[in-house]
Amino acid sequence: MKNNFFEKAEILCVGTELLIGDIVNTNAAYLSRRLATLGIGVYRQAVVGDNPARLAEDLRAALSRADLVVMSGGLGPTYDDLTKETAAAVMGKKLYMHEESLARIEHFFRSTGRTMTENNKKQAMMPEDAVVFRNDYGTAPALAMENEEGKVVVMLPGPPRELEPLFREQVEPYLWKRCAAVMVSRNLHIIGMGESSVEAALPEAIRNSSNPTVAPYCDTGEVRLRVTAKAPTAEEAGAMADRMAAELMQLPLGAYVYGIDVPSPAHALIALLETEKLTVATAESCTGGLMAGELTAIPGCSAVMAGGVVVYQEREKTALLDIAPETLAAHTAVSATVAKEMAEGACRVLGADVGIATTGYAGPGGGTPEEPVGTVYMAVSFRGETVVERLSLSSKRDRKYVRDVAVKRAISFALSFLRQKTKKS
Amino acid sequence: MKNNFFEKAEILCVGTELLIGDIVNTNAAYLSRRLATLGIGVYRQAVVGDNPARLAEDLRAALSRADLVVMSGGLGPTYDDLTKETAAAVMGKKLYMHEESLARIEHFFRSTGRTMTENNKKQAMMPEDAVVFRNDYGTAPALAMENEEGKVVVMLPGPPRELEPLFREQVEPYLWKRCAAVMVSRNLHIIGMGESSVEAALPEAIRNSSNPTVAPYCDTGEVRLRVTAKAPTAEEAGAMADRMAAELMQLPLGAYVYGIDVPSPAHALIALLETEKLTVATAESCTGGLMAGELTAIPGCSAVMAGGVVVYQEREKTALLDIAPETLAAHTAVSATVAKEMAEGACRVLGADVGIATTGYAGPGGGTPEEPVGTVYMAVSFRGETVVERLSLSSKRDRKYVRDVAVKRAISFALSFLRQKTKKS
């Protein structure tokens, strides 16, 4: 029975545009990640061009080592695209015209007002007794075929916007029945603690736990504490992961967690503002509009986003936020005082409940001995109370990194301050 | 002689984090791109984990097919990192302590104030008669080794911020002497014409030219017309590419080219503003700060960037830019009139020479039958003259795409308007 489960998988991507480096292979990472959640280990990823001989060689080699091979790309309509023909031959399958797919492809072209060419029909040819996964995102259907030894080849179209939903919605349920276990992860997003301190803050027992596993990962400006549980079903694994996540939230580090499985601090902040019916405004110097951009990236932010100002020059700091030239002269634009006045100015000028401000040196130029490149003051103002925090990043970091981290930190700083202020007692 | 040149290369990346999909393999794309410029074709990319047996198997297979194998990753200091040991064994080389590298690593740790552990010394072990490329960006040096058959294995550290400069600055010159030809590309960045119309606008002779080749590529919101010339030296290839680029600029499509080999319209705009000694301000609605963020991403922008406002609500459009509520009521916030007043308001309020504004429906919500999601009005104001353009993207596009394209188009719209206005006659 056990050996009927998938254990080893390999990923085989086809595409000259990958080999010449015109595009980055995000499919391999996506497929590896998803297969891991099914408890299937990926032992190799390979990329080959549209060359039948090399492709056949690689596919045979992969099938000799793995019991599952997931392929992406090469399903295009052009006649020189022989990936499907080659894979079918290696698996000992003949191709036939899959009428349902043909009808879908014809419909797809009609609905998008494009004209279907003869060779698009080729995309509806399927290997005998293959499982066909219908593609609602493009023309080429995905498919899975199994040989006598029970080894499976899954073929997916190359464009990520087609491959990802097809794999998630149809291929995963198909693979399910041959998965020994399912892995479910929960991610605790932490800001304000480094990776090593998070690790040190974990009790011995949790650090050594093998199921669920608990491990910190370092992302830009934050640490992600990943809890991964393994169980026969997704429900059981999910419950195990949730119990561990709840346990971790009880630890002191729980105070630094801005959310569990939330895409970013901005999402968490917008959600909090919505529930509290509060509006927010930004005043940015070094982040130059990125903070407002991050908040407005979230659909529905218009309910809480008042607006923002980018005051890149001292003149604008005075003109738009009424910051006295004397203040700027006395403290310089990169100071706790100016950050504070910027946040308060944002509330006043844009008529918002919450004001968030950033001012600092993003580099490469600028900075002083006391305030080198990488120094950013962040301020949050709410109902007349304003808090300021100083962020000092290594001056070795580049401009983009300093700006991205400053945005993330400023937003999560606002988030934790508001959480504390709006907590129902 | 000919067979002394590199013809076929394969790329072999080592790293469990790649196999579990925790990171995307940008190294493979980068290395492929750079090797193409050296006229060396990449026939295969593979990723394996830190497993000596599998690694040796893959490296032997690669060496049997290719005359150059470029490896990345696996040069870390941990003892279970056996990539270098494995590759050296496959190439039949012993390892020795490379004193110069050891000194550098010790120095690196002193200068970054970190303490060096015993196993860091392992990173200074080098295969006999290997060419060592010193790493000023991290601890592990890169290296190249050649076997009796003249086949070469290049090993590079995994982190892109180390791999990329090491390859560009030291490995490429090393490969040079065995390159039959060098390819040099020039990219003409075009905005306002689709990929197919650019292709159609190319004369038959140019479209069929085999050296230089001329081919359009579709990037987000723009088309890149790539000219690639092949010659024995970089100088000759560069000259050929430049001649073709100049010829293309004479065609009608030349009017849509915002720059040659410039990273983005923002870079071109900032450069133009600097030469003309002009300042710019932004007024954003749907792009919510991203346009200001794009302009301020460029180091040295402070000389020309006055600042910007994000007016997400009608109230702020009135409060910050004095747009009459009647105007908003009569035309709605997403209209040519409001875009025009926003651009003019940006100049006035921020005291800038040039004002750029965007207002539109980024989706998923919002929009009207006449102005569906994907509609964005862009306005540019300069010395009392204001021009407006309406961008209408497919409502199938997501919020991020609409915002990114709107930013790019608005900036290039400003660029072409200013070029025309500041042209010396």
Side-chain angles (χ1 to χ4, degrees):
Chain A
M1 180 58 189
K2 181 92 191 69
N3 58 7
N4 182 34
F5 290 134
F6 291 123
E7 282 166 352
K8 292 184 175 183
E10 293 196 15
I11 291 169
L12 186 52
C13 304
V14 182
T16 307
E17 67 281 18
L18 288 166
L19 284 183
I20 63 178
D22 250 6
I23 59 173
V24 170
N25 190 356
T26 56
N27 287 344
Y30 177 82
L31 293 169
S32 294
R33 226 164 32 238
R34 301 300 301 188
L35 287 167
T37 65
L38 298 175
I40 303 170
V42 172
Y43 286 78
R44 253 198 195 77
Q45 298 168 348
V47 176
V48 290
D50 306 315
N51 175 306
R54 264 195 299 273
L55 177 61
E57 179 193 336
D58 274 50
L59 182 54
R60 275 195 204 91
L63 284 166
S64 72
R65 296 178 296 240
D67 37 36
L68 171 66
V69 178
V70 181
M71 299 178 63
S72 83
L75 301 182
T78 57
Y79 283 112
D80 59 346
D81 233 331
L82 295 169
T83 304
K84 190 165 53 185
E85 291 73 0
T86 307
V90 169
M91 292 290 279
K93 312 278 184 188
K94 290 191 185 51
L95 292 171
Y96 72 102
M97 177 57 71
H98 188 253
E99 294 304 334
E100 190 196 324
S101 296
L102 181 61
R104 298 203 130 263
I105 295 173
E106 283 164 347
H107 171 77
F108 181 89
F109 276 91
R110 268 199 308 281
S111 66
T112 55
R114 288 154 57 204
T115 50
M116 176 171 172
T117 60
E118 258 314 297
N119 50 10
N120 284 110
K121 289 186 176 172
K122 183 171 162 305
Q123 298 186 294
M125 297 292 287
M126 289 291 140
E128 51 189 339
D129 63 49
V131 178
V132 179
F133 305 110
R134 78 177 216 209
N135 184 352
D136 295 327
Y137 312 94
T139 55
L143 66 99
M145 50 186 159
E146 183 169 346
N147 66 12
E148 305 71 27
E149 309 160 65
K151 298 206 169 192
V152 170
V153 171
V154 171
M155 303 188 77
L156 293 149
R161 68 175 186 291
E162 296 179 33
L163 176 141
E164 297 184 5
L166 272 166
F167 191 81
R168 211 170 43 243
E169 296 161 10
Q170 297 181 73
V171 178
E172 286 186 25
Y174 162 81
L175 296 175
W176 207 267
K177 62 182 184 312
R178 283 182 62 182
C179 292
V182 181
M183 288 191 214
V184 173
S185 292
R186 299 285 185 257
N187 295 282
L188 280 65
H189 298 275
I190 296 170
I191 283 190
M193 275 177 94
E195 186 178 6
S196 49
S197 14
V198 168
E199 189 151 29
L202 295 174
E204 196 67 12
I206 290 181
R207 222 177 311 154
N208 300 337
S209 161
S210 62
N211 188 22
T213 57
V214 178
Y217 294 85
C218 198
D219 298 340
T220 304
E222 70 170 89
V223 172
R224 184 163 44 90
L225 191 57
R226 188 164 73 185
V227 177
T228 304
K230 192 171 181 172
T233 72
E235 293 64 30
E236 295 167 72
M240 287 168 68
D242 288 334
R243 277 195 300 277
M244 177 59 85
E247 193 176 333
L248 291 165
M249 289 302 287
Q250 298 310 312
L251 300 173
L253 66 82
Y256 296 87
V257 175
Y258 69 75
I260 298 179
D261 290 328
V262 284
S264 75
H267 285 79
L269 179 63
I270 295 289
L272 176 64
L273 293 167
E274 277 172 347
T275 27
E276 299 294 330
K277 305 217 173 351
L278 297 170
T279 60
V280 65
T282 57
E284 308 179 65
S285 183
C286 63
T287 55
L290 290 183
M291 181 161 51
E294 178 84 7
L295 294 173
T296 55
I298 297 158
C301 64
S302 38
V304 299
M305 180 70 177
V309 292
V310 177
V311 283
Y312 221 66
Q313 308 291 338
E314 303 215 335
R315 183 194 163 293
E316 279 68 40
K317 292 186 176 70
T318 305
L320 273 75
L321 300 172
D322 328 315
I323 298 177
E326 300 68 36
T327 314
L328 290 162
H331 304 274
T332 81
V334 178
S335 61
T337 312
V338 169
K340 177 175 179 296
E341 293 200 10
M342 284 171 69
E344 292 164 351
C347 288
R348 194 175 55 248
V349 174
L350 292 138
D353 303 304
V354 183
I356 314 176
T358 60
T359 179
Y361 296 110
T368 68
E370 308 72 39
E371 313 284 1
V373 165
T375 305
V376 180
Y377 286 93
M378 310 171 293
V380 182
S381 183
F382 176 56
R383 294 193 182 141
E385 185 178 354
T386 309
V387 286
V388 181
E389 196 170 75
R390 182 179 190 273
L391 172 66
S392 65
L393 300 165
S394 157
S395 54
K396 287 197 183 59
R397 296 299 198 170
D398 68 12
R399 185 176 178 86
K400 184 182 187 315
Y401 181 89
V402 172
R403 282 158 46 100
D404 290 348
V405 171
V407 165
K408 222 171 190 178
R409 291 292 295 271
I411 291 173
S412 62
F413 180 43
L415 183 61
S416 50
F417 181 58
L418 288 178
R419 279 229 177 105
Q420 172 196 328
K421 288 292 151 190
T422 58
K423 200 176 284 143
K424 309 281 169 292
S425 50
Chain B
M1 181 56 190
K2 182 90 194 69
N3 59 6
N4 183 33
F5 289 136
F6 291 124
E7 281 166 353
K8 291 185 176 184
E10 293 198 13
I11 292 170
L12 186 53
C13 303
V14 182
T16 308
E17 68 281 17
L18 289 166
L19 283 183
I20 61 178
D22 250 7
I23 59 173
V24 172
N25 190 356
T26 56
N27 288 344
Y30 177 82
L31 293 170
S32 295
R33 227 166 31 239
R34 302 300 301 189
L35 287 167
T37 66
L38 299 175
I40 303 169
V42 172
Y43 286 78
R44 196 165 179 282
Q45 298 168 349
V47 177
V48 290
D50 306 315
N51 175 305
R54 266 194 298 273
L55 178 60
E57 180 192 336
D58 273 46
L59 182 54
R60 277 196 204 90
L63 285 165
S64 71
R65 294 177 297 240
D67 37 37
L68 171 66
V69 178
V70 180
M71 299 179 63
S72 84
L75 301 182
T78 56
Y79 283 111
D80 59 345
D81 233 330
L82 294 170
T83 304
K84 191 165 51 184
E85 291 74 0
T86 307
V90 169
M91 292 291 279
K93 311 277 184 189
K94 292 190 182 51
L95 292 172
Y96 72 102
M97 177 58 70
H98 188 254
E99 295 304 335
E100 189 196 323
S101 296
L102 182 61
R104 301 205 127 261
I105 295 173
E106 283 164 348
H107 172 78
F108 181 89
F109 275 92
R110 270 199 308 281
S111 66
T112 55
R114 288 154 58 204
T115 49
M116 176 170 172
T117 60
E118 258 313 298
N119 49 10
N120 284 108
K121 289 187 176 169
K122 184 173 163 300
Q123 298 187 293
M125 296 292 287
M126 289 291 140
E128 51 188 339
D129 62 50
V131 177
V132 179
F133 305 109
R134 78 176 215 212
N135 183 353
D136 294 326
Y137 312 93
T139 53
L143 66 100
M145 50 186 159
E146 181 168 347
N147 66 13
E148 306 70 26
E149 308 161 67
K151 298 203 170 193
V152 169
V153 171
V154 171
M155 304 188 76
L156 293 149
R161 69 173 184 293
E162 297 179 33
L163 176 139
E164 297 185 4
L166 273 166
F167 191 81
R168 212 170 40 241
E169 296 161 9
Q170 297 181 72
V171 178
E172 287 187 25
Y174 162 82
L175 296 175
W176 208 267
K177 63 182 186 307
R178 283 182 62 182
C179 291
V182 181
M183 288 191 215
V184 172
S185 292
R186 298 286 185 257
N187 295 281
L188 280 66
H189 299 274
I190 295 170
I191 283 189
M193 274 178 95
E195 186 178 5
S196 49
S197 14
V198 168
E199 187 151 30
L202 295 175
E204 196 68 13
I206 290 180
R207 220 177 314 155
N208 300 336
S209 159
S210 61
N211 187 25
T213 56
V214 177
Y217 294 83
C218 199
D219 298 340
T220 305
E222 70 171 270
V223 173
R224 185 164 42 92
L225 191 57
R226 188 162 76 185
V227 177
T228 304
K230 191 171 183 172
T233 72
E235 293 63 30
E236 295 167 75
M240 287 168 67
D242 288 333
R243 277 194 300 279
M244 176 59 85
E247 192 176 335
L248 291 165
M249 289 302 288
Q250 297 311 310
L251 300 173
L253 66 81
Y256 295 87
V257 175
Y258 70 75
I260 298 179
D261 290 327
V262 284
S264 74
H267 284 78
L269 179 62
I270 295 288
L272 176 64
L273 294 167
E274 277 172 344
T275 27
E276 298 294 329
K277 306 216 171 351
L278 297 170
T279 59
V280 64
T282 57
E284 308 179 66
S285 183
C286 63
T287 56
L290 290 183
M291 180 161 54
E294 178 85 6
L295 294 173
T296 54
I298 298 159
C301 65
S302 39
V304 300
M305 180 71 177
V309 292
V310 177
V311 284
Y312 220 66
Q313 308 291 336
E314 303 215 336
R315 184 195 163 293
E316 279 68 40
K317 291 186 176 72
T318 304
L320 272 76
L321 300 171
D322 328 315
I323 298 177
E326 300 67 36
T327 315
L328 289 161
H331 303 275
T332 80
V334 178
S335 61
T337 312
V338 170
K340 177 175 179 296
E341 293 200 10
M342 284 171 68
E344 292 164 353
C347 289
R348 194 174 55 248
V349 174
L350 292 139
D353 304 304
V354 183
I356 315 176
T358 59
T359 177
Y361 297 111
T368 68
E370 308 71 40
E371 312 283 4
V373 166
T375 305
V376 180
Y377 285 93
M378 311 172 293
V380 182
S381 182
F382 177 56
R383 295 193 179 139
E385 184 179 356
T386 308
V387 286
V388 181
E389 196 172 75
R390 181 179 190 271
L391 171 67
S392 66
L393 299 164
S394 156
S395 54
K396 287 193 183 63
R397 296 297 197 171
D398 68 12
R399 184 177 179 88
K400 184 179 187 317
Y401 181 89
V402 172
R403 282 159 43 101
D404 290 347
V405 172
V407 165
K408 221 169 192 180
R409 292 291 295 271
I411 291 173
S412 63
F413 180 43
L415 182 63
S416 49
F417 180 58
L418 288 179
R419 280 229 176 104
Q420 174 194 327
K421 288 289 149 190
T422 59
K423 199 176 284 142
K424 310 280 170 289
S425 49

